[in-house]
Amino acid sequence: MAEIGKKLKLNSGWLAARSTEVELSGAQLTTTHPPSIGPSSPWMEAAVPGTVLGTLVKNKVVPDPFYGLQNETIIDIADSGREYYTFWFFTTFQCKLSESQHLDLNFRAINYSAEVYINGHQKVLPKGMFRRHSLDVSDVMRPDGTNLLAVLVHPPDHPGRIPAQGGQGGDHEIGKDVAAQYVEGWDWMAPIRDRNTGIWDEVSISRTGPVKIIDPHLVSTFFDDYKRVYLHATLEMQNKSSWVADCSVNVQVTTELEGNICLVEHIQSQKVSVPAGSTIQYTFPQLYFYKPNLWWPNGMGKQSLYNVVISIDVDGFGESDSWNHHFGFRKIESDIDTATGGRLFKVNGQPIFIRGGNWILSDGLLRLSEKRYHTDIKFHADMNFNMIRCWGGGLAERPEFYHYCDTYGLLVWQEFWITGDVDGRGVPVSNPNGPLDHDLFLLCARDTVKLLRNHPSLALWVGGNEQVPPPDINAALKKDLELHPHFQTSSENEKWMVDSSSESEDPSQYLDGTRIYVQGSMWDGFANGKGDFTDGPYEIQYPENFFKDDFYKYGFNPEVGSIGMPVAATIRATMPSEGWEIPLVKKLPAGYVEEVPNPIWDYHKYIPYSKPHKVQSQIELYGSPKDLDDFCLKAQLANYIQYRALIEGWNCRMWKKYTGFLIWKTQNPWTGLRGQFYDHLLDQTAGFFGCRCAAEPIHVQLNLSTCCIEVVNTMSDDISGVAIEASVWDLEGTCPYFKVFEKLSLPPKQTSSIVEMEYPKSKDSKPVYFLLLKLYNVSNYGIISRNFYWLHQSGGDYKQLEPYRKSNIPIQVTSQVIIKGSTYEVRVNVQNKSKNAESSSLTYKNNFINRQGEGDPDSNSLPLENKEQTDKKRSTGFFHRICRRIVTGSNSPRLVETNGNAVGVAFFLHFSVHSSKAEGKEGEDTRILPVHYSDNYFSLVPGEAMPIKISFEAPPGVAPKITLHGWNLSHGLTVC
């Protein structure tokens, strides 16, 4: 049993059974007839946290709904009735209580309502998917310490029916409940048959003394240009005893210096008396800090976190309860920018250009895990994004999600559970008045605020997606989430006196008070700001269109999207062989084509790479694909170009026209075929690395509309002593254009146009060519930004690249493997060994500047450092500590190379990691996933070398094999 003030998670050992197959009552299950698994038993191992459908899939009672068309074989709740998905969940736990101790049984979320039985005693959990439940079960504990728990979980009241034509949110009935709305299906998602019924979030027990801590609220206020900072804390104290509790209420603030060595910044203790059987609110005297380490978003600085511990000692008892949370000192401000009309965000007084993505949820069956959340959020940081929008039809995201956003510097836009399709429009027209129970919605909203408000990554609350909540809900949220005066505008900072004698002015006494509330995703500085449909587009574009002034009219686009085809191995792993057929192509006038996907791709919401009469096929530009592998490889080429161009198009008008954008969307909660940078199996598309390139804090790019070389500097300081190297390479391996632009000075927070490229206009320019841009420090040739393009002349195509696949370019790879347990870190150096007579500098070595703050090569924040001068490791804290690596296994460097003799660009090189077992049956997926790459889908000009870091965990007993593939690397090269 957990110690006083510590929770014990009940996340294993659960059983589940359909309620109609269990004849016993809850009292019987938890007294005389506890269940067990057997040949004639309806009971099975349960997924808790998880859902009913997740449990059925885990036990192979139903097929995997994300594979092929198997979701169509699973009975929908509209056809089966709610009882079919009403399930019992059962477990046991050990606990004995001493005198004056209390035990709480905690459910962080259940969908949708439940009856709880513990040792024969019943407690009812009310409705609502997004609310916490805490039950004092002290009086029903068994003397022998073995306690039996059974929970009967009921589905949402209005699960709805899926129309034959599908649609956004099915028939919209789910909108009558306070629940996730995506479960009836969307244009990117198939319906979830049980509507996510289940104990879908953490279950725990926690032991306290007579006084319990409830929902502390931490707030920091800043003065003197962020040198003087005050920490405010308010909490509720519940006295469960029948006598007055005289307490010492303590707060301790520590910061981690190195590894697990911590510095205690503050300790404070206050005397408080809590009347018998009552709950009081208590506010600490503010704590003063001078020049604390600030928390910054990804790309702007370090994500410094402090650990705040609050504890209560009761006279005559001892420690009664404790609570801790990681906290970041930072101030987020937001207003509508007068220059662009877009929503402007400032962090610690610095404007931040928002480049981020829309997030649905990690997994459609709510198989949520801390490990997957870590990968998800790290992937977003690896792409150099700085904001994630939690879309209103999905979840109020979990604390584990927010923890990793805190760790990696991802600002979070959190919406409540309103979407226009389900709450006011659609076919059939949905109910505009939101859920039936407005009080329940507000209860869930307020509880969600209390759950998440202490996370520094949380940037704003939004009422709904493409809709505002009903007037009474909207008014209540505006009032509840009103800003404290200190956070209203920068000019108010000094007006609010930190030593104010009025307790009501302490910001920690607000429900939140530190971050804005916006009523809807297209209001108040987003899209046209008036709620009109001015987000999007969501389809393939000509890359140069993103750079044109008329592509998007408004300052901040909350949703702009495109294609997202995964690699061929993912198609084979998630579909039967009939799903491996590539789209049929219908020829249309003027060179346009229409793609006709197979039924499985259509079910998985494939979005085409062509738009008839508007955009010619961005796959056919490379020649008609022969098979699945060829199609998916060419799709990756298009993915890279499409998303790099999207971001670079916004970059070129940073602060002049735009304040930010969010791509729809970054990932898929199932095996979908659209709008993603990594698939549901956690393999990245090439679009991932196109984003990673384009969203660098300091970035050199080509404006595809004006043909000008530009440098994007999102940082707060100017950059001097730098130069740009521009080289053009043709398919014969020669360099017809090479220039260096020196003595550059790049202003802060600005995109600077440097020079117009001459090559495309020269009379001897080639129809297809490569352009390599490098921004580097003149003093040491350290690369700040590298950007490689493959380009064709206006009106042309890339079909000359098809015979280029036969070029046998000599490649040399040096690798070294570091192993710690199951974790592999592989450092490779890939070099194009073609002769490079034209190179006139040392930049071909690609000695990259380290822009990683603490040295993690998979995150990006300044200041600039030379990579050879630092090799520190980031500390994530809280759940996992990534300390300095202790090497327990290391192989000697290994060198492998091809015997090619051609001269030219090694094009579109990409690594993959597999188990090294012999080839399995057709369609078997041998990939090891996820893998973190410092770069992938890269190209090397003659003589050029690229250092790459690859890290992953190998399953037990599996020996990994790393292979390098490439457009003109005819056979994969096994690296190690």
Side-chain angles (χ1 to χ4, degrees):
M1 175 59 206
E3 300 173 0
I4 288 288
K6 307 294 183 182
K7 70 181 179 183
L8 176 67
K9 295 180 184 179
L10 304 181
N11 56 5
S12 62
W14 288 82
L15 304 178
R18 183 170 284 112
S19 63
T20 55
E21 298 176 3
V22 176
E23 298 178 354
L24 301 172
S25 68
Q28 290 172 315
L29 290 172
T30 57
T31 52
T32 57
H33 292 81
S36 60
I37 296 176
S40 60
S41 171
W43 294 88
M44 65 192 84
E45 293 183 3
V48 176
T51 64
V52 168
L53 189 54
T55 289
L56 295 175
V57 171
K58 175 182 178 178
N59 289 276
K60 296 182 169 42
V61 176
V62 299
D64 181 356
F66 294 172
Y67 184 87
L69 298 177
Q70 290 181 166
N71 193 50
E72 292 295 279
T73 69
I74 302 173
I75 189 168
D76 191 82
I77 193 171
D79 301 313
S80 67
R82 292 174 66 247
E83 282 194 352
Y84 186 80
Y85 287 110
T86 300
F87 263 61
W88 280 107
F89 293 87
F90 176 89
T91 193
T92 63
F93 63 90
Q94 297 292 318
C95 176
K96 284 186 178 181
L97 295 179
S98 303
E99 186 177 356
S100 298
Q101 288 185 348
H102 295 264
L103 188 77
D104 287 324
L105 173 62
N106 309 299
F107 297 90
R108 209 163 64 183
I110 281 185
N111 189 30
Y112 186 64
S113 61
E115 299 153 36
V116 177
Y117 295 84
I118 183 165
N119 299 330
H121 298 267
Q122 181 190 32
K123 295 179 182 289
V124 176
L125 299 186
K127 299 174 182 179
M129 184 174 179
F130 303 107
R131 63 187 298 180
R132 294 170 295 169
H133 308 274
S134 185
L135 307 175
D136 189 335
V137 295
S138 311
D139 294 339
V140 299
M141 293 293 96
R142 290 172 56 165
D144 64 359
T146 300
N147 300 281
L148 284 68
L149 171 64
V151 186
L152 182 63
V153 181
H154 301 275
D157 292 346
H158 302 89
R161 181 171 292 277
I162 314 304
Q165 70 276 17
Q168 313 292 78
D171 65 359
H172 312 132
E173 282 291 295
I174 194 70
K176 294 179 179 178
D177 297 329
V178 183
Q181 298 183 355
Y182 77 90
V183 291
E184 284 199 63
W186 226 267
D187 59 5
W188 42 263
M189 180 76 184
I192 304 298
R193 299 307 187 187
D194 70 339
R195 309 297 190 262
N196 284 156
T197 301
I199 308 173
W200 68 274
D201 198 10
E202 177 186 281
V203 186
S204 67
I205 52 176
S206 52
R207 181 163 51 175
T208 68
V211 179
K212 175 185 176 181
I213 295 171
I214 300 175
D215 291 332
H217 186 200
L218 306 177
V219 174
S220 52
T221 54
F222 299 85
F223 302 89
D224 301 333
D225 195 25
Y226 298 88
K227 295 185 183 73
R228 183 161 56 100
V229 180
Y230 295 85
L231 178 64
H232 308 258
T234 294
L235 68 152
E236 291 184 346
M237 302 167 61
Q238 181 186 17
N239 184 357
K240 297 184 176 185
S241 72
S242 58
W243 37 272
V244 175
D246 294 320
C247 307
S248 293
V249 188
N250 316 296
V251 60
Q252 175 179 291
V253 183
T254 60
T255 183
E256 187 173 277
L257 296 179
E258 185 71 26
N260 290 320
I261 301 174
C262 296
L263 172 67
V264 178
E265 292 274 356
H266 275 284
I267 297 178
Q268 187 183 96
S269 183
Q270 301 290 318
K271 293 291 185 181
V272 181
S273 292
V274 186
S278 67
T279 300
I280 68 168
Q281 179 176 288
Y282 175 72
T283 300
F284 278 99
Q286 61 214 14
L287 298 177
Y288 171 66
F289 295 77
Y290 182 66
K291 291 185 177 180
N293 297 322
L294 299 181
W295 183 94
W296 291 96
N298 187 33
M300 294 184 70
K302 296 180 181 180
Q303 290 75 53
S304 299
L305 294 171
Y306 290 73
N307 192 36
V308 180
V309 179
I310 297 174
S311 61
I312 296 176
D313 294 324
V314 176
D315 290 356
F317 179 84
E319 185 176 81
S320 181
D321 199 4
S322 67
W323 174 93
N324 76 287
H325 203 287
H326 274 67
F327 183 74
F329 287 107
R330 65 95 183 94
K331 183 178 183 180
I332 292 180
E333 301 168 272
S334 182
D335 211 336
I336 297 177
D337 180 43
T338 55
T340 65
R343 174 64 60 175
L344 169 65
F345 291 89
K346 289 183 178 180
V347 178
N348 304 330
Q350 295 293 329
I352 176 170
F353 188 61
I354 298 297
R355 298 182 290 191
N358 285 269
W359 166 272
I360 309 304
L361 68 160
S362 184
D363 177 73
L365 300 189
L366 301 188
R367 293 169 292 196
L368 311 178
S369 72
E370 177 193 322
K371 186 175 182 180
R372 187 175 179 108
Y373 272 136
H374 188 182
T375 298
D376 281 320
I377 303 309
K378 189 176 189 302
F379 275 177
H380 284 75
D382 288 350
M383 286 188 284
N384 292 313
F385 285 168
N386 53 29
M387 179 176 277
I388 297 178
R389 173 193 172 207
C390 294
W391 175 74
L395 302 182
E397 265 302 350
R398 302 296 88 195
E400 291 80 4
F401 170 94
Y402 274 90
H403 162 67
Y404 287 114
C405 288
D406 295 344
T407 299
Y408 288 106
L410 276 299
L411 297 172
V412 183
W413 158 338
Q414 179 67 64
E415 281 178 6
F416 295 109
W417 318 285
I418 296 288
T419 62
D421 298 278
V422 179
D423 298 286
R425 64 171 194 271
V427 181
V429 176
S430 54
N431 171 28
N433 203 34
L436 297 180
D437 190 337
H438 288 198
D439 289 339
L440 174 60
F441 185 98
L442 288 170
L443 185 153
C444 289
R446 290 163 183 147
D447 196 59
T448 296
V449 172
K450 291 178 180 178
L451 177 67
L452 302 176
R453 63 189 176 185
N454 293 315
H455 288 278
S457 56
L458 178 56
L460 73 159
W461 303 101
V462 177
N465 165 64
E466 297 178 348
Q467 184 62 290
V468 299
D472 58 325
I473 292 179
N474 196 33
L477 290 174
K478 284 182 178 179
K479 184 175 184 298
D480 287 345
L481 298 173
E482 181 183 7
L483 289 175
H484 181 277
H486 179 77
F487 298 93
Q488 289 176 1
T489 63
S490 296
S491 62
E492 296 289 335
N493 287 0
E494 300 297 341
K495 294 180 182 179
W496 181 76
M497 299 302 295
V498 76
D499 58 352
S500 170
S501 60
S502 171
E503 289 188 358
S504 64
E505 290 186 308
D506 189 290
S508 64
Q509 294 179 357
Y510 279 53
L511 179 63
D512 186 334
T514 68
R515 43 181 75 84
I516 63 165
Y517 167 75
V518 176
Q519 60 184 345
S521 66
M522 298 190 299
W523 279 258
D524 303 325
F526 299 123
N528 76 346
K530 302 175 183 177
D532 300 319
F533 285 97
T534 47
D535 49 6
Y538 303 92
E539 298 173 300
I540 192 77
Q541 304 291 324
Y542 287 125
E544 60 270 21
N545 286 357
F546 293 111
F547 294 83
K548 295 179 179 178
D549 192 56
D550 61 353
F551 180 73
Y552 188 71
K553 297 180 180 179
Y554 308 103
F556 194 117
N557 193 339
E559 294 183 12
V560 55
S562 190
I563 37 77
M565 191 67 187
V567 299
T570 292
I571 297 299
R572 292 191 174 96
T574 59
M575 297 178 186
S577 56
E578 55 266 33
W580 305 352
E581 297 295 326
I582 63 177
L584 299 174
V585 174
K586 289 184 178 180
K587 302 290 185 181
L588 300 175
Y592 294 101
V593 301
E594 179 183 353
E595 295 181 38
V596 182
N598 68 64
I600 299 179
W601 285 28
D602 190 53
Y603 189 80
H604 286 253
K605 316 296 184 179
Y606 172 75
I607 186 169
Y609 282 70
S610 62
K611 188 160 53 173
H613 310 297
K614 292 185 178 180
V615 179
Q616 291 181 332
S617 171
Q618 298 299 290
I619 288 181
E620 294 282 334
L621 284 178
Y622 299 91
S624 298
K626 306 177 188 64
D627 52 26
L628 180 65
D629 293 284
D630 194 31
F631 182 93
C632 289
L633 179 59
K634 289 172 178 174
Q636 299 318 309
L637 291 162
N639 289 347
Y640 193 105
I641 290 177
Q642 187 77 179
Y643 286 109
R644 178 179 59 182
L646 188 159
I647 295 177
E648 291 181 341
W650 254 267
N651 285 346
C652 74
R653 289 182 172 80
M654 178 177 68
W655 305 124
K656 296 176 182 177
K657 183 178 180 181
Y658 300 131
T659 60
F661 64 90
L662 300 173
I663 296 175
W664 182 267
K665 50 192 175 27
T666 58
Q667 44 73 246
N668 263 304
W670 77 309
T671 50
L673 301 180
R674 66 193 306 165
Q676 60 187 350
F677 300 127
Y678 58 94
D679 59 45
H680 191 254
L681 304 182
L682 300 177
D683 199 358
Q684 301 100 327
T685 72
F688 181 106
F689 298 96
C691 287
R692 180 180 175 85
C693 172
E696 296 172 303
I698 301 170
H699 177 65
V700 61
Q701 65 180 44
L702 179 69
N703 186 311
L704 296 180
S705 179
T706 65
C707 215
C708 286
I709 297 173
E710 302 170 335
V711 178
V712 185
N713 179 11
T714 66
M715 307 311 298
S716 304
D717 298 318
D718 63 357
I719 301 170
S720 59
V722 296
I724 293 175
E725 178 185 286
S727 59
V728 170
W729 299 82
D730 59 27
L731 298 182
E732 287 71 44
T734 62
C735 181
Y737 178 93
F738 182 94
K739 283 198 175 181
V740 176
F741 307 96
E742 296 183 295
K743 299 180 181 179
L744 300 179
S745 183
L746 308 173
K749 304 290 184 184
Q750 187 172 316
T751 297
S752 302
S753 183
I754 306 301
V755 67
E756 183 177 356
M757 274 289 296
E758 303 167 3
Y759 178 80
K761 297 180 180 179
S762 62
K763 62 180 181 180
D764 58 349
S765 61
K766 300 295 179 67
V768 176
Y769 60 95
F770 304 110
L771 171 65
L772 177 60
L773 300 177
K774 294 184 180 182
L775 176 69
Y776 64 94
N777 275 340
V778 174
S779 62
N780 62 2
Y781 292 97
I783 303 295
I784 300 170
S785 174
R786 177 188 182 275
N787 202 348
F788 180 89
Y789 295 84
W790 52 103
L791 300 164
H792 60 71
Q793 298 289 353
S794 178
D797 57 39
Y798 294 115
K799 290 179 181 176
Q800 287 189 4
L801 286 175
E802 185 63 33
Y804 195 59
R805 298 172 91 158
K806 298 178 181 178
S807 299
N808 195 5
I809 306 297
I811 301 291
Q812 183 183 88
V813 182
T814 305
S815 63
Q816 184 167 18
V817 181
I818 300 171
I819 307 170
K820 182 186 177 184
S822 62
T823 301
Y824 285 69
E825 181 181 296
V826 185
R827 297 183 181 272
V828 297
N829 192 72
V830 186
Q831 185 169 13
N832 180 345
K833 297 294 287 185
S834 297
K835 294 181 180 179
N836 181 16
E838 291 84 358
S839 180
S840 61
S841 76
L842 300 178
T843 64
Y844 72 92
K845 292 182 177 179
N846 283 326
N847 177 28
F848 283 92
I849 294 295
N850 192 317
R851 291 178 286 103
Q852 286 78 38
E854 293 189 347
D856 184 345
D858 299 316
S859 65
N860 294 274
S861 58
L862 291 187
L864 299 178
E865 295 182 83
N866 191 288
K867 183 178 180 181
E868 296 176 350
Q869 297 171 347
T870 181
D871 192 23
K872 298 178 182 178
K873 302 296 179 185
R874 173 189 294 270
S875 172
T876 63
F878 193 50
F879 290 112
H880 287 306
R881 304 279 182 184
I882 304 177
C883 303
R884 287 185 181 275
R885 184 176 300 278
I886 301 172
V887 178
T888 57
S890 179
N891 296 330
S892 299
R894 181 187 180 199
L895 186 147
V896 296
E897 54 189 340
T898 65
N899 57 0
N901 53 16
V903 176
V905 171
F907 183 54
F908 217 51
L909 300 170
H910 49 283
F911 288 100
S912 62
V913 183
H914 296 255
S915 63
S916 60
K917 67 177 184 178
E919 292 297 324
K921 61 183 180 181
E922 185 180 23
E924 182 180 1
D925 192 6
T926 62
R927 287 173 297 173
I928 294 174
L929 298 170
V931 180
H932 298 277
Y933 302 94
S934 61
D935 203 0
N936 215 1
Y937 295 98
F938 58 96
S939 301
L940 298 175
V941 303
E944 193 180 23
M946 179 73 74
I948 303 286
K949 177 186 170 184
I950 304 170
S951 57
F952 57 90
E953 287 188 21
V958 171
K961 177 180 70 174
I962 300 176
T963 305
L964 179 66
H965 313 267
W967 183 263
N968 48 3
L969 185 59
S970 56
H971 300 288
L973 181 64
T974 300
V975 173
C976 59

